[in-house]
Amino acid sequence: MNANLPSAAMEKVKFFYQFIRTPRSIGSVTPSSRFLTNKMIDNVPWSEIGSVAELGCGTGVITRAIHDAMKPGTTALLFERDPYLRKQLRFQYPDSSTFSDALSLSTSIQGKGLEQVDCIISGLPFANFQPTLREALVEQIYSSLKPNGYFIAFQYSLQMKKQLQSHFDILSIQFVMLNVPPAFVYVCQKRGY
């Protein structure tokens, strides 16, 4: 029997419960699959990354993969709006800094003594947000990334393509069928000066 089954099942229950409570902020009824998680993580050149921020950590499926992949000494900043999930992240990743609001991304990064970060990974459900909120988040992401920094996000549609193209070079959009629901992974890079 798989030793991870009880914790994986519990993670799904917690995620579903949070979805029922706040469906517009969660975006899915189940955590990201390992296929989606791997696609997100495999697109990051971890040897070049000294700082990373994750937006919309949820139950921490991608957070765990980030911490497994990042090199020692990498600064990780975690953003999760839900208080219960944020508390769990603080407990599981005490060496990372945890914040509640992705709209304060730049301020939070600077509060940790950084000017910008090398990479931002996002599970935020942009399609569920009002256009003004989407734009404010994209502006925060853009201003918080170093030149040539990476922005990697998954979405359940191609709705964000045009908006992301206006801020970043889209290096690829990869479709992950083995996820519920299937998802698109946007691999973007901030243009250098």
Side-chain angles (χ1 to χ4, degrees):
M1 185 170 154
N2 184 340
N4 291 330
L5 185 59
S7 65
M10 192 60 180
E11 197 165 87
K12 288 180 181 177
V13 170
K14 284 192 292 187
F15 198 89
F16 184 71
Y17 173 72
Q18 296 309 112
F19 175 79
I20 296 298
R21 285 183 54 229
T22 56
R24 292 191 62 79
S25 66
I26 299 290
S28 174
V29 296
T30 182
S32 302
S33 71
R34 65 182 166 95
F35 303 101
L36 177 56
T37 300
N38 290 343
K39 189 65 75 177
M40 299 277 289
I41 298 305
D42 291 348
N43 277 293
V44 179
W46 290 104
S47 62
E48 303 170 20
I49 304 300
S51 54
V52 60
E54 183 189 5
L55 312 181
C57 301
T59 59
V61 173
I62 294 175
T63 312
R64 186 176 315 114
I66 290 169
H67 281 75
D68 288 346
M70 66 187 196
K71 64 186 180 188
T74 301
T75 301
L77 296 90
L78 310 176
F79 291 79
E80 174 52 49
R81 180 174 289 273
D82 184 271
Y84 175 77
L85 296 176
R86 193 169 58 251
K87 181 179 176 184
Q88 296 298 312
L89 290 166
R90 281 193 187 116
F91 176 75
Q92 291 175 317
Y93 304 100
D95 293 339
S96 296
S97 299
T98 310
F99 305 93
S100 63
D101 191 359
L103 282 173
S104 66
L105 181 61
S106 293
T107 306
S108 300
I109 288 170
Q110 291 167 5
K112 298 310 291 181
L114 301 169
E115 192 172 324
Q116 294 169 310
V117 294
D118 297 310
C119 181
I120 297 173
I121 295 174
S122 174
L124 292 175
F126 284 101
N128 291 357
F129 301 153
Q130 294 295 324
T132 53
L133 177 56
R134 276 198 302 266
E135 185 57 32
L137 285 165
V138 171
E139 294 277 340
Q140 279 286 309
I141 291 163
Y142 181 83
S143 65
S144 299
L145 267 180
K146 292 179 180 177
N148 299 311
Y150 293 88
F151 174 55
I152 300 176
F154 75 84
Q155 297 291 292
Y156 300 118
S157 73
L158 294 174
Q159 175 183 344
M160 289 297 294
K161 183 178 179 183
K162 185 176 180 182
Q163 191 169 14
L164 290 176
Q165 277 178 326
S166 69
H167 292 82
F168 304 96
D169 291 328
I170 297 180
L171 304 180
S172 67
I173 300 174
Q174 302 163 11
F175 184 63
V176 180
M177 177 66 105
L178 297 173
N179 191 69
V180 179
F184 295 92
V185 174
Y186 290 82
V187 181
C188 305
Q189 190 170 28
K190 183 175 178 177
R191 299 173 186 105
Y193 294 120

